Amino acid sequence: MRHFSLSKALPLAAAAVFYPSFSFAAPQEDKNHQQNKAEHITVHSRSQPLKETPAIGGKLGLSIQHSPATIDVIDRSVMNQRGYAHAEEAADSAPGVSSGGSPGSPAQFVMRGFSGNQILMLRDGIYYGPTTMVNRPLNTFNLQSVQVLQGPSSVLYGQGAVGGTVDMRTRDPAFDHAHANALVSYGSFNTWNAGIGGSVPVTDTLAIRTDFSRTSSNGYVKGADPHSNDFTTTLIWKPTRKFSARFSIDYLTDRLSTYYGTPLVPLSETGGRAGGLLHSSQGLGITRSSMWHNYNVKNPQASSTNVTPTLHLQWQPTKHITFHNKSYFVYAKRRWNNAETYSYISSPGATDAAGNAIAPGRVGRDRFYVYMNQHQVGDTLDGTLDFSLFGLKNRLVVGGDAYYIRLIRDRGFPDATYADSVALDSSNTGPTAGFAGEYPSRKSPTTMIDAAVFMEDVITVTSKLRLVGGYRYDWLHLDRQNYNQNGSFNAASSFKKLYNPSNFRIGPVYDLTKNISIYGVFTTADDPPGSNIFLVNKGQFNRLSHTRQGEIGAKGSFWHGRFTSAIAFYDIRRTHILVANGQDSVTTAGGQKSRGLEWQGNLVLNPHWNISGNVAYTWSRYGSSFYPSAGVNASGNAVPNVPAVTANLWAVWSRVENLPLDLGAGMRYISSRKGDYANTLTLKDYALVNVFAAWHAYKGVTVYGRIDNVGNKHFIQWASTDYPSEVILGAPRSFSISVQAGF
């Protein structure tokens, strides 16, 4: 089960915001004196050091310090320490990031004022398709890190990521010796997490790693019952220092939470308001009696099977030239079959699919199913060349990228507005059943073929100044076919089209000192219609959405490494936006602008105390003539689900009184947000606190205890614009205890 409530335990050491491990020593002039005191401190914290090179930053091999972008890396030690069962929880700890969504749009994030398909999600750098329906919540036990890149990344990945990109990096085997890892955890709502894995060097040139993990829960809303099983195996072969091959396969099966939300009701009719959750200019709210009820059917379905083999080859014929090739195949089968929309009936006259009258005071429900089968194959080939250009050091990456996606989607829903109805205080009643107009399904085979050329370049102008640039040009062909229920081809909504987006980024990075850098960057992006591959039909748009971003920032390490910090200012403008104006259609609605500030820092007071945190301010509004649906003018309105302020704070006291004990606390704050395009619904702000402890029982074995949402704060996690009649509640107070072992 995903917990969105707060940043979880960081028992072993500091829960920093930016860099997972670094060392610092005394000043050089006091070296002898300090050596006598044996004062050398090693600090483990939350993300990669400034000098580390994250995969998400591009193919130039730039460090975090010298990348002209905001990058955050949450490594597996932190994910273990905080108890993150799913990767979304790890990404939430980055500055300005929040998550939510629903089983219909899993793995959904908010970054820099954008959400949904405007946040790109990758697996080991591979694009699998539209974020909100293709990606799944991943078990962190199988991951080495979760890497977050803020802002547009079309130049790097070819897709229209506007707000940011999240990359899930799997674990690699080690060549030094055999390793074994295990995890078992139990918590509130009968939540279990377990994992077992290991790495073995078969020979001096061949190593293998295998991991299996499982999560399961009854859900904090009755009947949600999410679970997942993730099996990954990776082989690395290094026959020479110049050549390496990495083969990996991931097999994931899951069942998402089937809690789609709690219905909004007119409080003037129902009374019993649950306070502290939201404000509605239309007098809507949630009743105390309806909280923690699941209005889905008795036998809901939101499941998938995913198989992904990948092969990475790297060859370095000379010290100045390196070639890399990435090949992959994706097979996925996904199933949804639920009652997803819950509408309170205020007046007589409503009827269900059987023609029965729905009495006022009941909740009308729909039925909606989607069955998907996806096949995808892709390959990326690039070469890196180091050379001198007019006497200046230069690194150039040139490559090509191509993929083929074939997705067959069957969907259906009753002809009636409401399939059936339930009482406001009922839960999980009624079968899925079948209704007039629902079957046979409406089939939509879609083919997307993309071929692209790209380049990245960094030129060292002086010892302190670097100029970083990049460019990508795509040939994107989309073939969308729709069929009617009788099997006939629907030419009116089907179409074929070729798009040619081209994007670039350019910006300088200047070193004020060896450990402090400032940067500026200008980036563009295009949203291909593939970002709405399940929805777009003929005539619903005439061009791609285009985005440009300007960003300036600084990154640095101070006080001999005891304090690290990063700050960034950005401005994003996006035009010709595609938005959903129904469950199965989209339209071009206008533009959006977003600007803000992000700061993060980590302070090591002494070998036992660490304080870290981040804060982000986001201002995001729709432009003029923004009509997301008929009758709704959202021009100038705040973007739904985007908090103006997000903040995280952690404090850790490690090795308490020299005992094998760590104690700590964390806080997460989310300011108020709008819940709909018209801004009639406001989700109230909330602050959540957690406390945690770790007992290092034996070498390699640690027992963790954690209480989340200590104050049992009730709050709204998400308000989906696709389901405007309901909102999703956040998790109440919960506990967990776990044992982790690594040898």
Side-chain angles (χ1 to χ4, degrees), residues 74-77 79 140-146 168-172:
I74 304 92
D75 69 10
R76 75 160 291 94
S77 64
M79 293 188 287
T140 55
F141 184 86
N142 303 65
L143 300 179
Q144 180 60 39
S145 66
V146 175
M168 317 297 182
R169 310 296 301 191
T170 53
R171 302 173 73 173
D172 281 340

Side-chain angles (χ1 to χ4, degrees), residues 141-326:
F141 184 86
N142 303 65
L143 300 179
Q144 180 60 39
S145 66
V146 175
Q147 304 188 9
V148 181
L149 170 66
Q150 304 271 27
S153 61
S154 287
V155 172
L156 301 178
Y157 300 107
Q159 300 305 313
V162 177
T165 301
V166 180
D167 192 4
M168 317 297 182
R169 310 296 301 191
T170 53
R171 302 173 73 173
D172 281 340
F175 282 86
D176 53 356
H177 56 80
H179 297 266
N181 303 92
L183 162 71
V184 61
S185 172
Y186 178 76
S188 299
F189 322 117
N190 196 32
T191 300
W192 286 93
N193 296 313
I196 186 169
S199 172
V200 177
V202 181
T203 68
D204 291 340
T205 61
L206 179 66
I208 183 172
R209 178 170 189 97
T210 297
D211 294 284
F212 173 78
S213 62
R214 175 176 173 80
T215 65
S216 65
S217 176
N218 291 344
Y220 63 89
V221 174
K222 183 179 179 181
D225 300 332
H227 67 255
S228 67
N229 301 286
D230 198 359
F231 176 83
T232 57
T233 294
T234 300
L235 289 89
I236 293 183
W237 180 45
K238 296 182 178 180
T240 70
R241 288 185 297 177
K242 295 184 177 181
F243 179 82
S244 66
R246 179 186 186 272
F247 175 77
S248 178
I249 187 166
D250 183 285
Y251 179 77
L252 170 71
T253 63
D254 66 9
R255 180 185 187 274
L256 302 175
S257 165
T258 52
Y259 166 60
Y260 277 81
T262 301
L264 297 169
V265 301
L267 296 174
S268 60
E269 298 180 19
T270 61
R273 173 178 177 267
L277 296 175
L278 57 88
H279 171 75
S280 169
S281 61
Q282 298 178 330
L284 301 176
I286 292 176
T287 64
R288 291 186 296 272
S289 63
S290 65
M291 292 185 68
W292 318 120
H293 284 267
N294 192 336
Y295 291 86
N296 212 328
V297 293
K298 283 185 177 180
N299 53 341
Q301 186 176 18
S303 60
S304 75
T305 300
N306 308 268
V307 183
T308 311
T310 62
L311 176 63
H312 294 254
L313 302 174
Q314 183 166 303
W315 178 44
Q316 188 176 16
T318 74
K319 66 178 182 179
H320 300 295
I321 301 175
T322 303
F323 295 102
H324 179 261
N325 191 82
K326 174 178 64 181

Side-chain angles (χ1 to χ4, degrees), residues 14-17 19-20 45-47 72-75 78 82 93-94 650:
V17 179
Y19 320 109
S45 68
R46 199 189 69 81
S47 308
D72 198 52
V73 179
I74 304 92
D75 69 10
V78 173
R82 296 188 186 177
S93 64
W650 299 274

